[in-house]
C-alpha cells in the first residue's frame, strides 16, 4: 500500500527529467533547424519532434503525478472518495483560469477585431481566427452556467451530471485551441 501511495513521486520525477532533457536540448534544436549541413538536414526531421514530445510528455507526467494523490485519497470512513467529484472540481478549477484573465482577453480581442481586415479575410484560416476571437469573448457565457449547473448537480448527489457540466468548458477551450492550430497549419 505504501508503494502505491508514493507512485506519484515517480511520475513527477519522470516529468521533471523529461522537461530538463527537452530544455537542455534547445540549443541543439536551434543548431539543427538553422544549419545547412547534410547531417543536420537528415537529423532534424527525426530529432526535433522527439525533443518536443519529451517536453510535452514531461508536462503530462507532472500533471498525472499531481493528480494521483487526489484520485487515490480515502474518505474518513475508509471508502474511496468519488473520483467524479474530484475530476469535476479539477475541471472547474482549470476552466476558471481563463476567466481570471478575462479582462486582458477582452482587450486583446477588441484590438484584434478592430484591426483592418486583409484582402484574404474570406479564407478558412481567417474565419477560424475570427471564430477563435469570438469564442474567447463568449467563454464566460459557457463557463458560468456550466459551473452553476455542476455545483447544483453535486448538491443533488448527481456526480455524473456534475462531471459532464464541468467537462463542457474544457472541451470548449480545446475546440478553440483547435481553431488556432488548424488556422496556423492552413497558413503554411
Amino acid at each position: 500500500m505504501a508503494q502505491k501511495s508514493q507512485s506519484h513521486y515517480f511520475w513527477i520525477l519522470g516529468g521533471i527529467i523529461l522537461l530538463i532533457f527537452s530544455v537542455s536540448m534547445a540549443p541543439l534544436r536551434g543548431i539543427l533547424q538553422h544549419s545547412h549541413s547534410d547531417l543536420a538536414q537528415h537529423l532534424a526531421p527525426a530529432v526535433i519532434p522527439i525533443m518536443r514530445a519529451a517536453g510535452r510528455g514531461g508536462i503530462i507526467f507532472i500533471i498525472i503525478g499531481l493528480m494521483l494523490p487526489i484520485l487515490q485519497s480515502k474518505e474518513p470512513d475508509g471508502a474511496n472518495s468519488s473520483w467524479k467529484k474530484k475530476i469535476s472540481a479539477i475541471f472547474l478549477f482549470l476552466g476558471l483560469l481563463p476567466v481570471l484573465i478575462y479582462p486582458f482577453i477582452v482587450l486583446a480581442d477588441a484590438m484584434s477585431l478592430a484591426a483592418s481586415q486583409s484582402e484574404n479575410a474570406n479564407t478558412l484560416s481567417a474565419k477560424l481566427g475570427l471564430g477563435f476571437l469570438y469564442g474567447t469573448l463568449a467563454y464566460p457565457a459557457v463557463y458560468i452556467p456550466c459551473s452553476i449547473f455542476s455545483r447544483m448537480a453535486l448538491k443533488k448527489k448527481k456526480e455524473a451530471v456534475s462531471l459532464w457540466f464541468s467537462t463542457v468548458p474544457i472541451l470548449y477551450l480545446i475546440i478553440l485551441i483547435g481553431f488556432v492550430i488548424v488556422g496556423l497549419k492552413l497558413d503554411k
Side-chain angles (χ1 to χ4, degrees), residues 34-114:
H34 302 296
S35 177
H36 297 292
S37 73
D38 289 336
L39 178 64
Q41 290 178 356
H42 290 296
L43 284 177
V47 173
I48 292 174
I50 292 171
M51 291 180 198
R52 289 184 182 144
R56 292 176 185 145
I59 293 170
I60 291 170
F61 275 37
I62 290 172
I63 290 171
I64 290 171
L66 293 173
M67 289 179 58
L68 274 178
I70 296 170
L71 297 174
Q72 292 176 344
S73 68
K74 303 276 186 184
E75 290 291 326
D77 64 354
N80 278 334
S81 61
S82 171
W83 64 271
K84 291 177 185 176
K85 188 186 290 188
K86 291 175 183 179
I87 297 294
S88 179
I90 291 169
F91 283 172
L92 286 175
F93 173 74
L94 292 175
L96 178 66
L97 295 177
V99 175
L100 296 176
I101 60 168
Y102 188 70
F104 302 107
I105 292 172
V106 170
L107 181 63
D109 286 352
M111 290 189 302
S112 296
L113 290 170

